[in-house]
Amino acid sequence: MLQLFNTLTGRKEEFHPLEPGIVRMYVCGDTVYDYCHIGHARSKIAFDIVRRYLAFSGYRVTFVRNITDIDDKIIKRAAENRESVQTLTQRFIDAMHEDYDRLGILRPDFEPKATGHIPSIIAMTRTLIDKNYAYVATNGDVMYSVSAFAEYGQLSGRQLGDLRAGARVAIDEAKRDPLDFVLWKQAKPGEPSWPSPWGEGRPGWHIECSAMTLDLLGTRFDIHGGGLDLKFPHHENEIAQSCAATGDRFATYWMHNGFVNVDNEKMAKSVGNFFLIRDVLNSGRVRDPEVLRFFLLSSHYRGPINYSLTQIEQADAALSRLYTALRDIEPAANHEPGDATRRFKAAMDDDFNTPDAVAALQTLAGEINRARANAPQVAATLAAELRHLGSVLGVLQSSPDAFLRKSASAGSEAPGGDAAIEQLIAARQAARKARNFKESDRIRDELAAAGVVLEDKPDGSTTWRRA
RNA sequence: GGCGCCGUGGCGGAGUGGUUACGCAGCGGUCUGCAAAACCGCGUACGCCGGUUCAAUUCCGGCCGGCGCCUCCA
């Protein structure tokens, strides 16, 4: 039985979808004005795992992840670049897809854009005004009145009074309450805008998610996810909007992933300590995108994770061990779920405990290594199990040799490529056959200097990988 | 100021009221022409101080240290 930590209640709860066997989930996506960094990757991978595991567990999953393609930062950046908002956002949407595809993050079933749901946004805003949850402020913006929603603060555990006492609440003359937030914003000259009952304008940030979930998932759905930083105010405001507008309960389970830190500090655009996904993947220090993915799975999704090259190297070593176990084994066509699968499921059922799930894979790799010499059929069966479980985490999807022969250390490429390596290995084989070990060791040293590690097998053949 | 999280062995990182996490690194061994990989074995743990308990890293309280949200943010 799957248990997941529900941020709304602060407890681990048994997971019961609204409709048996069917899960509908929504995850907050990105604002597309720049390239995605490792922090974005973590959130997307965390919920990609949730989705994959739910499907693995037999649920039919509808997965929605939005794109925020209109907001202040986008307008500002487009103006700086002297390009249209549409050109800018499309460029970064394409880049986002490229990055996420490389990381094995499955495309959502629906990937709505805010600008594609303007009529629903306007309709919901009108409903909120009609129900007295919203008002037109003195500056023409439509504001949500937080004091009208009795449950405001339930997700983030905050009291309105405490929030008002906070020193950092912006003072805005147009608001009746400093905590009120914008639903519909009056357009300034030259800004992208849409006609509305309140004049030309554009949506505020929070209303888009409420409108898109309503359009695609209805008034109630099972899981709503996003980064911890979205818990307040974004998700709090979504609840206030959706519950007030529809009278329904919105999402049953709220899930929030922890941050990626650098030197123990949150990775963020505003701090400037961020690493872009594409820069990391292209740095030459990451053998394969799966390494970055595996690194992000090495700690629990709710806790913080510290990004560093040392961590990446350790992830590379650990994942390479799994691939090494799969090498030279043809996985069996079928396999019965064994101890590893039971442990894997138990771990994942416990609020998606990926570190423990990975430990199950490592233990399985050890079993394969022990079985491979004396019980090849057993090894083939276990290898199939390992690959299958790996697919739930989105790793172990390459061929072992292809993975292990990629380089994890930039600048140590052997000249001439793989063909040259094979030639040198053949020359070394000849020297070994003639028991000219001085020459064979010389060739091995030469290859080692180029980052190529040789492994002689019992049958006399030699395989290779990159360090 | 309000709300919340964290502190596990050299590095990461799960977990548990009494029994092996797991990986990386290290040490010893097996295998190997020598290596590599693999396998076998080994080592240094649970921030500090109290309390509860037959027993606490694991529950409770306090302290110290680190971090997050309260403003855009995955």
Side-chain angles (χ1 to χ4, degrees), chain A residues 1-19 22-27 47 50 54 59 155 220-226 235 239 249-256 301 351-352:
Chain A
M1 170 55 75
L2 173 62
Q3 304 228 130
L4 56 81
F5 185 87
N6 187 355
T7 316
L8 191 60
T9 58
R11 279 193 293 269
K12 272 187 201 170
E13 298 176 2
E14 284 192 358
F15 178 66
H16 295 291
L18 294 164
E19 288 179 64
I22 295 175
V23 177
R24 287 171 298 146
M25 63 185 290
Y26 181 92
V27 173
F47 292 106
V50 170
L54 288 170
Y59 291 104
L155 177 68
R220 269 209 86 180
F221 55 96
D222 300 297
I223 297 173
H224 190 132
H235 291 161
I239 291 172
R249 288 181 49 202
F250 203 41
T252 310
Y253 304 95
W254 286 82
M255 297 179 68
H256 292 94
Y301 78 89
D351 193 31
F352 307 96

Side-chain angles (χ1 to χ4, degrees), chain A residues 38 80 87 91 124 322 387:
Chain A
I38 305 300
E80 285 166 5
T87 309
R91 189 152 43 85
M124 187 175 273
L322 296 180
R387 269 207 188 265

Side-chain angles (χ1 to χ4, degrees), chain A residues 194-264:
Chain A
W194 292 260
S196 82
W198 317 284
E200 286 283 320
R202 57 189 165 89
W205 175 35
H206 313 295
I207 191 74
E208 65 177 79
C209 288
S210 286
M212 290 186 279
T213 55
L214 182 62
D215 285 351
L216 293 162
L217 298 173
T219 59
R220 269 209 86 180
F221 55 96
D222 300 297
I223 297 173
H224 190 132
L228 195 53
D229 44 1
L230 299 184
K231 188 165 140 189
F232 188 90
H234 183 55
H235 291 161
E236 194 72 70
N237 292 352
E238 280 185 52
I239 291 172
Q241 293 161 342
S242 293
C243 293
T246 70
D248 211 335
R249 288 181 49 202
F250 203 41
T252 310
Y253 304 95
W254 286 82
M255 297 179 68
H256 292 94
N257 65 276
F259 299 129
V260 176
N261 292 162
V262 177
D263 296 329
N264 246 1

Side-chain angles (χ1 to χ4, degrees), chain A residues 6 13 23 42 48 67 77 102 135 140 176 191 228 242 288 319 339 360 369 412 432 440 453 459:
Chain A
N6 187 355
E13 298 176 2
V23 177
R42 188 189 191 190
D48 185 56
I67 292 173
R77 182 65 61 89
R102 287 176 79 185
Y135 59 94
R176 293 180 189 166
E191 287 182 350
L228 195 53
S242 293
D288 184 281
L319 184 56
D339 290 343
N369 289 331
S412 68
R432 285 183 76 211
S440 69
V453 180
D459 66 4

Side-chain angles (χ1 to χ4, degrees), chain A residues 180-393:
Chain A
D180 291 348
F181 56 91
V182 180
L183 298 174
W184 188 262
K185 210 166 183 164
Q186 290 289 311
K188 297 195 185 81
E191 287 182 350
S193 66
W194 292 260
S196 82
W198 317 284
E200 286 283 320
R202 57 189 165 89
W205 175 35
H206 313 295
I207 191 74
E208 65 177 79
C209 288
S210 286
M212 290 186 279
T213 55
L214 182 62
D215 285 351
L216 293 162
L217 298 173
T219 59
R220 269 209 86 180
F221 55 96
D222 300 297
I223 297 173
H224 190 132
L228 195 53
D229 44 1
L230 299 184
K231 188 165 140 189
F232 188 90
H234 183 55
H235 291 161
E236 194 72 70
N237 292 352
E238 280 185 52
I239 291 172
Q241 293 161 342
S242 293
C243 293
T246 70
D248 211 335
R249 288 181 49 202
F250 203 41
T252 310
Y253 304 95
W254 286 82
M255 297 179 68
H256 292 94
N257 65 276
F259 299 129
V260 176
N261 292 162
V262 177
D263 296 329
N264 246 1
E265 195 180 8
K266 179 186 171 185
M267 180 186 292
K269 289 267 172 61
S270 52
V271 183
N273 62 349
F274 57 91
F275 290 80
L276 299 180
I277 294 167
R278 51 190 48 216
D279 288 347
V280 170
L281 293 185
N282 296 337
S283 67
R285 308 305 294 267
V286 176
R287 186 186 302 269
D288 184 281
E290 278 193 7
V291 172
L292 180 55
R293 187 178 174 101
F294 192 82
F295 157 67
L296 292 170
L297 297 179
S298 66
S299 68
H300 188 89
Y301 78 89
R302 278 193 285 122
I305 185 170
N306 219 43
Y307 175 80
S308 72
L309 192 54
T310 306
Q311 296 266 64
I312 292 292
E313 286 168 353
Q314 290 194 10
D316 179 74
L319 184 56
S320 293
R321 175 178 147 79
L322 296 180
Y323 269 113
T324 301
L326 291 172
R327 203 163 43 167
D328 301 324
I329 294 178
E330 183 59 41
N334 299 302
H335 70 274
E336 292 295 310
D339 290 343
T341 298
R342 279 187 286 278
R343 184 178 170 193
F344 179 89
K345 282 181 166 174
M348 294 298 282
D349 275 344
D350 183 16
D351 193 31
F352 307 96
N353 189 337
T354 52
D356 202 19
V358 167
L361 301 194
Q362 292 289 2
T363 302
L364 185 53
E367 285 173 31
I368 293 170
N369 289 331
R370 281 187 291 277
R372 69 194 309 146
N374 302 321
Q377 281 86 0
V378 173
T381 303
L382 295 176
E385 188 174 7
L386 178 55
R387 269 207 188 265
H388 185 218
L389 296 179
S391 74
V392 181
L393 300 179

